[in-house]
Amino acid sequence: MKTMKILAIIALTTLTIFTSCQSEENEQVGTNPNANSSTSQTAENYERTAMNDGSEDDFLDNNSCTELLFPLTATINGQEITLISSLDYEKVLEIMGEFNDDDDTVIFNFPIRVKLSNYTELTVASEADFNELKTQCEEASNAMEEAISCVNISFPITMLTYDVNIEQTGTVVVQSEEQLYNFMTDLNSDEYFSVKYPITVTLSDGTTVQVNSDAEFQDSIEECTSYEEEEETAEETADEVEAIISKSKFKVESFIEAGINKANEYADYTIEFTNDLKLVARNTVNTTLENIEGTYSVSSDIKVFLNISFASNTALSALSNDWIVTTYTSTMVTLQSKTDASVTLTFKKI
């Protein structure tokens, strides 16, 4: 009797395991009329999103298709510097940011090593070879084949694979961008895939989004690339504004606070924006007064900002603010407080 019970338990356990496996198999294997081919828009979206992003060091190599590999040596505005890691970028940015009216020059000590969009590592022997890589990147950009860097996928994600009859053949768990890129580029013409949604992505503006379909993934890409275009436009505008104010003197044309124009309080002062990001305010009526010094910086996201900073105990301390550039010409810059839209400031060049 005891033996019979044991056999019964074994049989029941085997049946349970078989049923469980069969259930799991049913979850994995089936047909999917929405499976994507290797040449589909979804395949292109995931391939480009998974490409190696070389944009972090664009201020050095001006090439978003290549990632500079360490160590490397370059001469920045006449100063030779060896970069051991990305932490050394700060040194480069300090050299480049010393003056805002100079043309920054970067001369690499070749050979250098780079990683391409397809994760291939390459030794670049000369400037001519380096320029050829830039040309190839520009061509890829014009053909909309460069990396999409404004969408970051949270891994792991799961890909379901299908044969030419759209019968599921298996699943692939992808742990990284490089694995995803290899998965997409290794697909044959008779192989199909679908993404097991939902997945989570982070856009370049910091927004985290849950994506539930191929169409929503496409929408996320369109949203973030549009945001990138706005960022690029704002960056160009910031450069123009900085060029207008650098090494120039201004008067306060208007300063409206609490509905009152207080420009008369600053009528005796000229404010110079130097090319090393300093402010020098001079009293042109009482020249015995010491100059008032401060600092400024121009930045952007999809808007352009002018940060002005004077010491809190000076005659111009009220002008200290994070300002949004609302309009500008070659002789006039109009600003609005970032935190209080009712506060505005207008500088007029003299």
Side-chain angles (χ1 to χ4, degrees):
M1 179 68 68
K2 184 175 181 180
T3 302
M4 290 287 289
K5 286 183 179 179
I6 292 173
L7 290 174
I9 291 171
I10 291 173
L12 179 61
T13 303
T14 302
L15 179 61
T16 301
I17 292 173
F18 175 78
T19 304
S20 175
C21 290
Q22 190 176 46
S23 176
E24 182 179 353
E25 186 72 11
N26 286 340
E27 287 178 8
Q28 292 181 351
V29 176
T31 61
N32 186 347
N34 298 315
N36 301 285
S37 72
S38 60
T39 58
S40 65
Q41 181 64 55
T42 299
E44 179 183 335
N45 287 341
Y46 277 96
E47 179 181 332
R48 291 178 61 196
T49 301
M51 285 180 173
N52 184 48
D53 180 17
S55 61
E56 183 183 3
D57 52 27
D58 280 4
F59 64 94
L60 267 174
D61 65 2
N62 195 30
N63 185 348
S64 62
C65 301
T66 60
E67 173 191 352
L68 296 170
L69 298 180
F70 304 105
L72 64 92
T73 301
T75 301
I76 316 295
N77 292 352
Q79 299 184 49
E80 185 173 281
I81 181 171
T82 297
L83 290 79
I84 305 300
S85 73
S86 59
L87 295 177
D88 293 319
Y89 287 160
E90 189 64 32
K91 300 176 185 177
V92 176
L93 292 172
E94 285 178 4
I95 294 171
M96 290 181 166
E98 186 175 4
F99 303 103
N100 62 10
D101 64 341
D102 60 342
D103 293 325
D104 295 314
T105 59
V106 178
I107 302 173
F108 291 105
N109 289 13
F110 293 99
I112 62 172
R113 289 188 59 75
V114 300
K115 184 184 289 187
L116 305 181
S117 296
N118 63 2
Y119 295 91
T120 300
E121 294 188 9
L122 180 69
T123 297
V124 183
S126 66
E127 177 129 15
D129 292 342
F130 199 63
N131 289 336
E132 177 58 28
L133 289 176
K134 288 183 183 179
T135 300
Q136 292 174 9
C137 187
E138 290 170 1
E139 292 173 351
S141 178
N142 292 336
M144 298 186 67
E145 296 173 349
E146 80 281 21
I148 296 172
S149 59
C150 60
V151 174
N152 291 310
I153 298 171
S154 296
F155 293 97
I157 64 172
T158 300
M159 295 291 187
L160 311 178
T161 58
Y162 301 85
D163 61 20
V164 70
N165 297 316
I166 316 300
E167 290 287 343
Q168 189 171 345
T169 57
T171 62
V172 177
V173 178
V174 180
Q175 301 283 356
S176 67
E177 286 186 341
E178 184 172 1
Q179 286 184 13
L180 177 57
Y181 179 81
N182 290 334
F183 173 84
M184 300 309 308
T185 55
D186 287 345
L187 283 172
N188 295 320
S189 59
D190 59 350
E191 294 177 315
Y192 293 77
F193 76 95
S194 66
V195 184
K196 188 175 182 181
Y197 293 106
I199 65 171
T200 301
V201 302
T202 303
L203 307 183
S204 56
D205 63 357
T207 304
T208 299
V209 179
Q210 179 175 290
V211 175
N212 299 291
S213 66
D214 293 342
E216 288 187 15
F217 189 61
Q218 174 73 20
D219 290 342
S220 295
I221 290 174
E222 291 175 356
E223 179 181 341
C224 80
T225 52
S226 176
Y227 185 86
E228 274 193 332
E229 290 173 0
E230 291 183 73
E231 284 184 311
E232 291 172 5
T233 300
E235 186 176 354
E236 292 171 1
T237 300
D239 290 340
E240 292 175 2
V241 170
E242 192 166 45
I244 288 169
I245 65 178
S246 178
K247 294 197 299 185
S248 298
K249 293 180 181 179
F250 291 82
K251 296 278 286 185
V252 174
E253 179 75 4
S254 171
F255 180 43
I256 297 175
E257 193 175 41
I260 301 171
N261 191 347
K262 301 180 179 180
N264 285 338
E265 296 179 17
Y266 308 95
D268 295 345
Y269 286 92
T270 64
I271 301 173
E272 179 184 1
F273 291 76
T274 70
N275 68 341
D276 57 352
L277 303 178
K278 291 183 174 60
L279 294 167
V280 181
R282 298 178 176 87
N283 191 306
T284 58
V285 176
N286 187 351
T287 57
T288 63
L289 294 176
E290 289 186 1
N291 295 337
I292 300 173
E293 295 187 352
T295 59
Y296 75 95
S297 62
V298 182
S299 60
S300 65
D301 47 30
I302 58 173
K303 296 180 179 179
V304 179
F305 306 100
L306 175 59
N307 174 271
I308 292 176
S309 179
F310 288 106
S312 59
N313 58 348
T314 68
L316 281 80
S317 58
L319 302 184
S320 298
N321 207 329
D322 284 321
W323 300 98
I324 301 171
V325 178
T326 54
T327 59
Y328 68 97
T329 67
S330 60
T331 59
M332 194 93 72
V333 179
T334 302
L335 311 168
Q336 181 184 73
S337 171
K338 190 176 178 180
T339 55
D340 185 350
S342 68
V343 180
T344 62
L345 172 64
T346 301
F347 284 120
K348 184 176 182 180
K349 187 178 288 189
I350 55 176

